[in-house]
Amino acid sequence: QLEESGGGLVQAGGSLRLSCAASGRTLWNYAMGWFRQAPGKEREVVCAINWNGDRTYYTDSVKGRFTISRDNAKNTLYLQMNSLNPEDTAVYYCAVTTGSDVVTILQAYDYWGQGTQVTVSS
């Protein structure tokens, strides 16, 4: 089970830190990712990280603003979001694959959290 937290309402230019805690299974040897879905849009990959954190992927729109990281000892995935803008407004989901390397295809992810709402006001 994955559970996201840390979402909320923030003004443009602000920051949020999302967390994704896993229970019932360990995550240390699996790749993970953050995804988001805005109203009326398809779910899209935001960023992804391999099993030990030394390889990452970011979609172009968040490069330089978002940072994905993980603490395998705490079984937790993080997403630091800086310089937020209204276009970042969405429900953010964490997900885990059964592979160890970075993957950006939604269908490759097997387990998903329930999502946390991020709203950025202008």
Side-chain angles (χ1 to χ4, degrees):
Q1 182 179 354
L2 303 176
E3 184 173 2
E4 303 93 341
S5 62
L9 174 64
V10 63
Q11 289 188 333
S15 298
L16 285 173
R17 188 192 195 204
L18 305 184
S19 297
C20 171
S23 60
R25 63 181 293 161
T26 58
L27 302 176
W28 69 270
N29 54 342
Y30 299 119
M32 299 188 70
W34 286 100
F35 299 79
R36 66 187 179 187
Q37 187 165 17
K41 295 187 177 181
E42 294 185 352
R43 191 172 300 188
E44 62 175 359
V45 62
V46 176
C47 52
I49 190 168
N50 73 327
W51 72 277
N52 67 353
D54 67 358
R55 285 193 294 274
T56 58
Y57 163 86
Y58 296 92
T59 195
D60 286 346
S61 63
V62 308
K63 285 181 180 177
R65 301 189 298 122
F66 289 13
T67 303
I68 187 172
S69 61
R70 64 191 299 163
D71 186 335
N72 287 340
K74 295 183 178 179
N75 228 25
T76 303
L77 178 72
Y78 302 100
L79 179 61
Q80 178 66 44
M81 304 187 293
N82 299 328
S83 301
L84 285 160
N85 59 61
E87 290 70 37
D88 297 314
T89 294
V91 177
Y92 283 71
Y93 300 87
C94 65
V96 62
T97 76
T98 53
S100 60
D101 208 355
V102 170
V103 61
T104 61
I105 302 172
L106 272 67
Q107 292 79 5
Y109 285 81
D110 302 282
Y111 302 97
W112 294 80
Q114 293 300 308
T116 185
Q117 177 70 47
V118 171
T119 303
V120 185
S121 63
S122 56

